[in-house]
Amino acid sequence: MDTILVTNAGSSSVKFQVFGIETNGTLKRQIKGQMDGVGSRPRLRVTGADGAVLVDRTYESRNVPDVSVALTTAGAWLRDELKIDPVAIGHRVVHGGPDYDKPVLVDQDVLARLERYVSLAPLHQPYNLAPIRSILARYPNLPQVACFDTAFHRGHGALADHFAIPLSLHAEGVRRYGFHGLSYEYIAGILPDVAPDIGSKRVIVAHLGSGASMCALNGGRSVESSLGFTALDGLPMGTRCGQIDPGVLLYLISEKGMSPADLQNFLYRDCGLKGLSGISNDVRELQASDDPRAAFAIDYFVYRASLFAGMLAAALQGVDALVFTAGVGENSVSVRKAIAEKLGWLGISIDPDANAKHARLISRLESRVAVYVLPTDEELMIARHTLSLLAQPKSSPKYARVS
């Protein structure tokens, strides 16, 4: 069976999945793995479709010094041990800039364009591109597809897309992009099956994790997002500040003597829940702590999420459903409860028992707004986009029959 490899590379880890292409053109997840601790304590762990552990192996740090080598090492294991030789590789790329509003086959020109946006997503973009660059050099004929977190939001109207700055800057690409688009696209795609009476209506999706944002969907299309030009805006995140008065940034430069590099590092790595609590960027650790700063950080996160839900409800002129997804959204009973309570004015009322059980539908029957907990699947979206591009005759005649 032909396969597609999907990768999601970070600064110290590479997550990957392998999907088999069935004869009818559908995708079947075969393998899920991760190489983490890159550069320090590298560990490769892979499970099969049934959850059974296929490998759990550690490496010397000098042998896996960066994410490119990590993916090469994982790829060698897949090829040598499982005889997997993918027909294409799909990659998550956080920022597509103004050039790309849909997935694209990567060549040297595309790679060069995407490298221009490294400064707009420094926690993600350089690491997303490193494996692409390495594979392009080693296997130039192997199709690679870049799938963008910004693409799903590119249909926003002009009012949602602009900042209140001269139009010439918007023409250069300084605009509100929105992120986590692969996650929102997946949720928008499954909603009509999960809730046929809701899928085509007004929905707020809360993608809550170490990276967090919220999105307003109307008829399955993104109309507004909490994130903007970079992945710093909107909600406070694990280590990112979220929405902040630009005057604070001017103050840090003029009064604290921060350089642009210092400021970038500070805003991306030392703020958010980590900065507020002084303890951790992990919600689980904060919830387990009895330090009042940890409780404050969680309360702040909940408060800001409720504010942005109100903003998105205004953009939609009402709301019919709220969906929680991603790590915190899918797993934290208390965060969901706290946000829902602050949104009682919207008519939201959740069932404590259903919420505690992580049920799919957690709202009460009398709730005016339906509330769902839905696992997201960004990797499946990447695999689908990759297969779709392979299906185009100019990309790969072999798959021209696949729809």
Side-chain angles (χ1 to χ4, degrees):
M1 178 185 294
D2 287 335
T3 57
I4 289 173
L5 173 63
V6 171
T7 75
N8 183 352
S11 60
S12 61
S13 68
V14 176
K15 298 177 183 178
F16 59 90
Q17 295 191 28
V18 175
F19 292 84
I21 306 173
E22 303 277 10
T23 54
N24 63 357
T26 60
L27 293 162
K28 182 178 181 180
R29 199 184 323 264
Q30 295 182 340
I31 291 170
K32 184 175 183 179
Q34 178 169 327
M35 173 79 83
D36 56 21
V38 175
S40 57
R41 300 177 63 186
R43 179 188 182 192
L44 174 65
R45 180 177 170 84
V46 183
T47 57
D50 59 357
V53 176
L54 301 179
V55 66
D56 191 343
R57 184 179 300 169
T58 58
Y59 298 82
E60 293 290 334
S61 60
R62 65 178 182 274
N63 294 330
V64 189
D66 56 45
V67 293
S68 295
V69 175
L71 186 58
T72 299
T73 303
W77 181 85
L78 290 170
R79 184 173 57 253
D80 297 340
E81 300 292 332
L82 300 185
K83 310 304 179 186
I84 289 176
D85 188 15
V87 297
I89 303 179
H91 301 269
R92 179 194 179 203
V93 177
V94 165
H95 214 306
D99 295 328
Y100 301 108
D101 60 359
K102 54 182 173 291
V104 63
L105 279 166
V106 181
D107 57 20
Q108 291 292 354
D109 179 65
V110 170
L111 184 60
R113 287 175 176 269
L114 295 177
E115 286 172 340
R116 291 156 43 191
Y117 312 126
V118 165
S119 64
L120 305 186
L123 291 187
H124 302 90
Q125 197 85 350
Y127 310 109
N128 298 158
L129 299 183
I132 298 176
R133 186 183 305 108
S134 176
I135 294 168
L136 196 59
R138 291 166 59 89
Y139 307 103
N141 295 322
L142 177 61
Q144 295 191 82
V145 176
C147 301
F148 305 104
D149 265 342
T150 51
F152 184 66
H153 305 291
R154 291 298 303 280
H156 284 180
L159 295 179
D161 195 47
H162 281 67
F163 292 109
I165 56 178
L167 294 178
S168 59
L169 286 170
H170 180 271
E172 293 176 15
V174 183
R175 59 187 68 176
R176 300 187 68 249
Y177 290 98
F179 297 87
H180 296 128
L182 292 163
S183 175
Y184 294 127
E185 184 179 9
Y186 177 79
I187 296 297
I190 65 171
L191 265 177
D193 294 325
V194 171
D197 57 332
I198 294 296
S200 63
K201 295 183 179 180
R202 301 165 299 181
V203 180
I204 295 172
V205 185
H207 177 105
L208 308 180
S210 180
S213 69
M214 300 174 76
C215 176
L217 299 177
N218 196 345
R221 296 173 60 87
S222 171
V223 299
E224 184 59 273
S225 169
S226 63
L227 281 167
F229 181 55
T230 70
L232 277 176
D233 202 4
L235 303 179
M237 302 175 226
T239 62
R240 285 170 268 172
C241 60
Q243 186 182 55
I244 191 169
D245 183 341
V248 174
L249 311 185
L250 297 176
Y251 172 82
L252 293 175
I253 293 170
S254 63
E255 301 299 323
K256 296 297 184 179
M258 282 193 175
S259 67
D262 292 337
L263 188 59
Q264 176 176 283
N265 189 66
F266 174 72
L267 296 173
Y268 277 98
R269 301 181 186 278
D270 294 328
C271 294
L273 300 181
K274 176 184 175 183
L276 281 172
S277 69
I279 298 170
S280 174
N281 65 323
D282 191 314
V283 168
R284 293 165 297 186
E285 292 183 17
L286 296 178
Q287 290 175 326
S289 173
D290 58 4
D291 191 312
R293 297 176 301 168
F296 177 76
I298 296 291
D299 289 346
Y300 183 85
F301 179 79
V302 167
Y303 173 67
R304 300 302 295 182
S306 68
L307 290 183
F308 273 96
M311 178 194 79
L312 296 177
L316 291 168
Q317 292 294 282
V319 58
D320 300 299
L322 170 66
V323 176
F324 289 102
T325 193
V328 176
E330 294 171 26
N331 296 296
S332 178
V333 172
S334 60
V335 168
R336 291 195 301 259
K337 176 178 180 291
I339 292 174
E341 287 177 346
K342 285 192 174 295
L343 297 177
W345 63 274
L346 281 173
I348 289 177
S349 177
I350 64 170
D351 182 324
D353 292 334
N355 185 38
K357 295 176 182 176
H358 305 285
R360 174 177 285 183
L361 177 66
I362 64 171
S363 50
R364 297 180 186 272
L365 288 176
E366 64 269 23
S367 179
R368 295 201 304 270
V369 176
V371 183
Y372 292 89
V373 180
L374 300 177
T376 192
D377 198 335
E378 295 161 302
E379 290 77 14
L380 179 57
M381 287 309 310
I382 295 170
R384 287 174 176 171
H385 285 308
T386 301
L387 182 58
S388 179
L389 277 182
L390 287 181
Q392 299 177 16
K394 63 181 180 180
S395 300
S396 177
K398 178 179 180 181
Y399 288 98
R401 68 181 187 280
V402 179
S403 60

